[in-house]
Amino acid sequence: MSDASEHPVTDEPTDESRPDRWIELEGVVNMRDSGGLPTRDGGAIQPHRLLRSDNLQDLSEDDVRQIVEDLGVSDIVDLRSDTEVSTEGPGPLWHVEALTHHHHSLFGDGRSVTAEQALAMPEHSKRATRDAGFWSDHYLGYLAARPDSISAALDVVSRSTGATVIHCAAGKDRTGTVIALALDAAGVPHEAIVEDYALTGERIEKIIARLMPRELYGNALRHQSVADQLPRPETMRTILATVQSEFGGAQGWLREQGWSDADIERLVARLTS
């Protein structure tokens, strides 16, 4: 594995690494393809391999067709809590036999989770405000509390025969953490990962507007500002730097979870070949 000094977090993505990766569907506002992001060896993440999204409950029939036929999705990884899944009920994709659904919550199995906890409201942190430090602590908490779920989600990506959609409620925090590890493992420069994470900020008002009418999230979000929910680049820089310093990067973190070199090679090949 390469030393951290060989790949500083100041690596700048090139213009070619900034394609329009948004996937415009009627029922989501924060779906995009990781395809096109550059890797340090001169390659790139392949299109239609790793997609990220917000809640998939509102997809239209045409959305479902595009996801299955045009995007070639074969696997859905749901990072929401048991509470969110049971309250929201099955979405349109649950009825598609061609898709395999994987539920890997980043909260404890069977644990009752409030919207405030799912959306990381300040009262559930030692920090009073949601600055970059708040989010960094929160995301690192996912790695500490549910490494099994994160590892399992990435295993799905590595074994998928088509595109994998990873999603939570907003497609920002839980999804952002798992996507970042996948991209880091595949050799995407840190600054390109940071930029991709922060891209959600372009849609944050639409994301909140989508969640507001939903029973589980609406009351919690009414008392929050849009600024509180904005993804901050320095948050993701901190996560990537911490994983680099403590584990030698995402590949080292995966080895800590029991992944072999062959397992890691399978993930990298799936994303880049």
Side-chain angles (χ1 to χ4, degrees):
M1 188 185 310
S2 299
D3 184 87
S5 62
E6 296 178 342
H7 305 305
V9 297
T10 55
D11 291 342
E12 288 289 343
T14 64
D15 289 341
E16 289 75 14
S17 74
R18 300 184 177 93
D20 183 5
R21 296 191 305 276
W22 292 107
I23 298 171
E24 305 293 354
L25 300 176
E26 297 175 43
V28 296
V29 296
N30 194 25
M31 180 179 283
R32 57 187 185 270
D33 192 342
S34 297
L37 288 170
T39 55
R40 295 186 180 99
D41 62 3
I45 301 298
Q46 295 301 300
H48 300 182
R49 300 291 175 84
L50 181 64
L51 311 182
R52 60 189 298 157
S53 183
D54 47 336
N55 193 324
L56 301 173
Q57 300 299 116
D58 300 328
L59 297 172
S60 68
E61 289 186 10
D62 189 57
D63 290 341
V64 172
R65 183 199 61 76
Q66 289 187 61
I67 286 171
V68 176
E69 298 179 12
D70 298 345
L71 298 175
V73 172
S74 61
D75 293 86
I76 307 292
V77 175
D78 188 345
L79 302 175
R80 295 175 301 165
S81 66
D82 293 346
T83 302
E84 290 168 279
V85 172
S86 62
T87 301
E88 292 280 274
L93 293 178
W94 276 97
H95 307 294
V96 180
E97 293 184 1
L99 299 177
T100 302
H101 294 264
H102 313 263
H103 182 211
H104 296 300
S105 172
L106 296 196
F107 293 93
D109 291 333
R111 170 185 166 192
S112 179
V113 175
T114 66
E116 286 81 5
Q117 291 167 321
L119 299 176
M121 300 305 181
E123 56 264 36
H124 296 283
S125 169
K126 294 178 181 178
R127 294 178 179 269
T129 58
R130 280 177 291 180
D131 55 11
F134 168 88
W135 290 114
S136 298
D137 288 349
H138 195 74
Y139 295 177
L140 290 172
Y142 295 145
L143 297 180
R146 292 311 303 264
D148 55 332
S149 286
I150 296 173
S151 176
L154 296 181
D155 186 64
V156 171
V157 175
S158 77
R159 299 178 188 276
S160 175
T161 58
T164 300
V165 177
I166 296 179
H167 82 96
C168 51
K172 175 172 70 80
D173 307 320
R174 290 167 285 187
T175 297
T177 301
V178 175
I179 292 289
L181 285 182
L183 297 176
D184 189 34
V188 174
H190 283 185
E191 276 304 311
I193 300 173
V194 169
E195 184 178 80
D196 180 61
Y197 163 75
L199 199 57
T200 293
E202 294 183 6
R203 301 286 179 97
I204 196 67
E205 292 186 3
K206 292 182 179 179
I207 294 169
I208 293 172
R210 271 203 68 223
L211 294 175
M212 282 286 285
R214 311 197 76 84
E215 177 184 355
L216 185 62
Y217 308 113
N219 287 335
L221 285 170
R222 285 188 187 92
H223 305 292
Q224 307 300 316
S225 70
V226 172
D228 278 339
Q229 292 288 346
L230 276 174
R232 296 168 172 81
E234 57 268 33
T235 297
M236 185 52 64
R237 290 192 187 100
T238 297
I239 302 305
L240 294 169
T242 300
V243 172
Q244 181 67 45
S245 64
E246 294 188 5
F247 303 100
Q251 291 192 8
W253 185 87
L254 286 169
R255 289 189 176 91
E256 289 285 326
Q257 312 314 313
W259 283 47
S260 66
D261 288 346
D263 294 330
I264 293 172
E265 289 170 6
R266 184 178 63 248
L267 175 63
V268 174
R270 182 63 199 148
L271 292 175
T272 62
S273 300

